[in-house]
Amino acid sequence: MSDLENDTRLSKTEREAIQGVIDRALDASKADDRNGIAAAIVSGDQILEIGENEVNALTDPTKHAEMVVLAAVTQRLDRKQLSECTLISSLQPCEMCLSAMRFAGITRVIYCAQQENVAEKYFVFPKLKITDFAKAGAAFTHIGGVKEAAVIHLYADGDE
């Protein structure tokens, strides 16, 4: 059994989504026109969406993987509230993505690579930590470092 299968903090569906996000990020990192950052949204026992960063493909700095899946799910469900959902990402969500997550009512985020272990370029305000976000507004749960070793090489030097 892998460490992921033994992680009691996560549901079976969250574990499946994490593996899907890792696979998508690793696959995308091999293509010149894609970025190796992926995210998913889970609700109960369903993976609602897995997507990837589209910043380069669409020449749009707001098309982070988390923003892509948030938009896809809210549009498909025709509602902006996703309070029953969990956001999952291969990289700790940046300030913009954490804000969008909270605007959507999501109170649980799980991510692989942690801010302190990646290149500073992934965060506009590098001194602002996820714990600062958690204390600044309505509380939310954040679980970081899940399967970090599988993707950390993508973000260590900031080339992704």
Side-chain angles (χ1 to χ4, degrees):
M1 255 190 207
S2 73
D3 291 339
L4 187 57
E5 291 170 347
N6 292 323
D7 195 330
T8 58
R9 302 171 297 173
L10 312 174
S11 72
K12 179 180 183 239
T13 306
E14 289 170 340
R15 291 191 299 270
E16 291 171 4
I18 290 164
Q19 191 58 58
V21 161
I22 290 169
D23 293 345
R24 185 82 174 255
L26 292 172
D27 182 57
S29 73
K30 296 172 188 166
D32 290 338
D33 62 339
R34 295 164 67 198
N35 295 82
I37 302 170
I41 293 185
V42 170
S43 179
D45 63 355
Q46 289 187 312
I47 299 172
L48 299 179
E49 187 77 26
I50 295 180
E52 65 189 56
N53 183 299
E54 297 178 355
V55 170
N56 289 342
L58 299 177
T59 317
D60 183 340
T62 68
K63 295 298 183 184
H64 291 195
E66 299 89 346
M67 302 295 277
V68 169
V69 295
L70 281 166
V73 171
T74 55
Q75 288 169 11
R76 186 171 349 109
L77 298 178
D78 193 27
R79 61 185 169 96
K80 61 183 180 178
Q81 265 309 307
L82 301 176
S83 57
E84 77 287 357
C85 295
T86 298
L87 177 65
I88 295 171
S89 184
S90 61
L91 174 61
Q92 181 179 316
C94 72
E95 305 88 350
M96 174 180 67
C97 295
L98 284 173
S99 295
M101 174 193 91
R102 295 304 293 128
F103 275 111
I106 295 175
T107 60
R108 181 173 169 85
V109 60
I110 302 166
Y111 50 93
C112 302
Q114 300 173 90
Q115 180 178 2
E116 59 268 19
N117 299 328
V118 303
E120 198 171 269
K121 83 165 212 168
Y122 296 108
F123 299 89
V124 176
F125 304 103
K127 292 183 181 175
L128 189 60
K129 305 299 181 197
I130 196 165
T131 52
D132 299 321
F133 271 86
K135 287 188 280 187
F140 66 91
T141 301
H142 52 96
I143 301 171
V146 177
K147 294 281 291 186
E148 183 173 48
V151 295
I152 194 66
H153 65 282
L154 298 177
Y155 319 120
D157 59 11
D159 287 340
E160 195 52 49

